[in-house]
Amino acid sequence: QFGGYCAWAVSQGYIAPGGPEQWKIVDGKLYLNFNARAKEIWEADQAEAIKRGHANWPGVLTKNQDNP
């Protein structure tokens, strides 16, 4: 999900690389997180973070290209 970017970052309106060691499958979709702390924060608010992520995606890609 989210092109392999960190799910927590996307839920916050920016992009960061997703780490292959920090993943979770939710409703058949693979979510990656940058590190263990990002995954922990994301899981604490998982349902809302997923909603925010979907609301931000894919616009967050354009936003981050315009503001490197």
Side-chain angles (χ1 to χ4, degrees):
Q1 199 60 30
F2 307 135
Y5 290 105
C6 174
W8 171 249
V10 173
S11 77
Q12 299 302 299
Y14 65 95
I15 56 173
E21 296 85 20
Q22 304 302 324
W23 59 273
K24 186 171 187 179
I25 296 174
V26 179
D27 295 328
K29 296 179 181 178
L30 174 64
Y31 293 89
L32 301 176
N33 280 285
F34 178 73
N35 58 26
R37 180 67 178 139
K39 183 178 184 234
E40 179 182 329
I41 296 167
W42 179 78
E43 286 180 328
D45 188 32
Q46 182 177 294
E48 291 302 313
I50 289 172
K51 287 180 190 176
R52 286 191 309 271
H54 284 288
N56 291 338
W57 187 259
V60 70
L61 294 174
T62 304
K63 175 182 170 186
N64 282 273
Q65 288 175 354
D66 294 341
N67 299 309

